Amino acid sequence: MGVYWAIGVRSFRRFSTYRIATASGAFTNTVFGFILCGVYLTLWNERPGLGGYDVPDALTFVWLQQGLLMPIGIFGATTTIELGERVRSGAIAVDLYRPTHLLLWWLSVDFGRAMFQLIVRGGAPLLVGALIFDLRFPSGVITWLAVVAGLTLGILVSFGIRYLVALSGFWITDSRGMEALALVLSLFFSGTILPLVVFPGWIGEFARATPWAATLQVPIDIWLGRNPGGIGSALVFQLGWILVLLLIAQLATTLATRKVVINGG
């Protein structure tokens, strides 16, 4: 495990070198936070208690959402983009020669990236939002520990999805079409466009049962204390999807590494 820890640490350091890009991204998330707050205030003014959220809940959702977009990897992140390109170009052969497990290697890389983004890109917009608006924060050590667990599990679920998208290039040669589809699904079903709690009827039930819900909506609801079945139920939901996705990912890795592709990987 020391090898994978070292990979994660170096990935953290790698992303910490992009200081201007990180600062620009945090600024952009903050600007979008203010824009969305205006939209949400108008919406919740017209429909008080929409989705079981009050105004402080809705505003807190905005700033947590903006802070978690990059750590969670809603727009793809390293695993989707870099691993997908390595499969497409055939450079994945170098990865397979390493005396490490492909899945664990990229999980370590992605986790190092996510930890840096969580500290910097996640903390800055939330701090600004908290200075301007009346936001909700967890109370009690147990709730904070649950938030940490929920965020960690959310990152792992997101990794599982993105890893499978990247590996699809072994069969379809170019995974960029799958990346575009995954982005649309992630934006809609994670709660990035709107909190899933406002989705009506069966659409809302279906959206909240998808793995994308476990990446963003569930960790934020743990923070807000709004999980219908309680914190334990939320964490079990995330763990269930992690087991499913990682088992499929392991199977896909085994099948992919046995496949010979002339054009590309």
Side-chain angles (χ1 to χ4, degrees):
M1 293 304 295
V3 173
Y4 300 110
W5 173 260
I7 294 168
V9 170
R10 281 159 179 75
S11 179
F12 184 99
R13 291 176 179 172
R14 169 193 170 190
F15 283 91
S16 68
T17 61
Y18 304 121
R19 296 182 181 88
I20 295 177
T22 300
S24 300
F27 176 76
T28 302
N29 289 135
T30 303
V31 171
F32 271 99
F34 283 111
I35 294 172
L36 288 173
C37 279
V39 174
Y40 278 38
L41 283 170
T42 302
L43 182 58
W44 261 263
N45 225 14
E46 293 294 322
R47 296 284 303 275
L50 179 63
Y53 283 9
D54 55 19
V55 172
D57 286 338
L59 296 179
T60 303
F61 184 95
V62 167
W63 292 104
L64 289 174
Q65 174 209 70
Q66 288 301 305
L68 292 175
L69 289 177
M70 289 303 291
I72 296 295
I74 297 297
F75 295 101
T78 308
T79 306
T80 309
I81 299 169
E82 291 189 12
L83 179 55
E85 175 58 32
R86 293 183 74 79
V87 173
R88 186 162 53 248
S89 67
I92 189 68
V94 176
D95 298 342
L96 296 175
Y97 271 115
R98 295 189 180 109
T100 55
H101 193 285
L102 185 69
L103 175 61
L104 293 178
W105 172 282
W106 283 97
L107 175 58
S108 302
V109 170
D110 193 69
F111 209 73
R113 171 206 63 82
M115 289 301 102
F116 173 76
Q117 299 287 7
L118 185 62
I119 294 170
V120 181
R121 291 286 291 269
L126 182 62
L127 177 61
V128 173
L131 292 173
I132 306 298
F133 299 99
D134 180 23
L135 305 185
R136 293 198 190 282
F137 284 83
S139 58
V141 176
I142 299 299
T143 308
W144 275 110
L145 290 175
V147 168
V148 172
L151 289 174
T152 303
L153 295 178
I155 292 168
L156 290 175
V157 173
S158 175
F159 166 78
I161 296 171
R162 290 181 280 113
Y163 182 82
L164 288 171
V165 169
L167 252 61
S168 68
F170 274 100
W171 290 274
I172 61 176
T173 306
D174 192 333
S175 64
R176 284 175 288 191
M178 287 295 292
E179 291 170 16
L181 175 61
L183 174 60
V184 173
L185 293 173
S186 181
L187 289 173
F188 187 80
F189 289 115
S190 67
T192 303
I193 297 176
L194 273 175
L196 300 184
V197 293
V198 308
F199 287 17
W202 68 268
I203 297 177
E205 293 178 7
F206 177 79
R208 290 189 291 273
T210 64
W212 292 280
T215 63
L216 190 68
Q217 181 71 52
V218 171
I220 293 178
D221 277 342
I222 292 175
W223 179 291
L224 296 173
R226 295 291 187 180
N227 301 98
I231 291 174
S233 173
L235 296 177
V236 168
F237 173 74
Q238 290 180 296
L239 280 170
W241 272 118
I242 288 172
L243 290 175
V244 170
L245 289 169
L246 291 185
L247 283 173
I248 297 174
Q250 178 55 46
L251 176 61
T253 303
T254 302
L255 295 175
T257 52
R258 293 176 181 173
K259 184 176 178 60
V260 176
V261 179
I262 296 174
N263 180 23

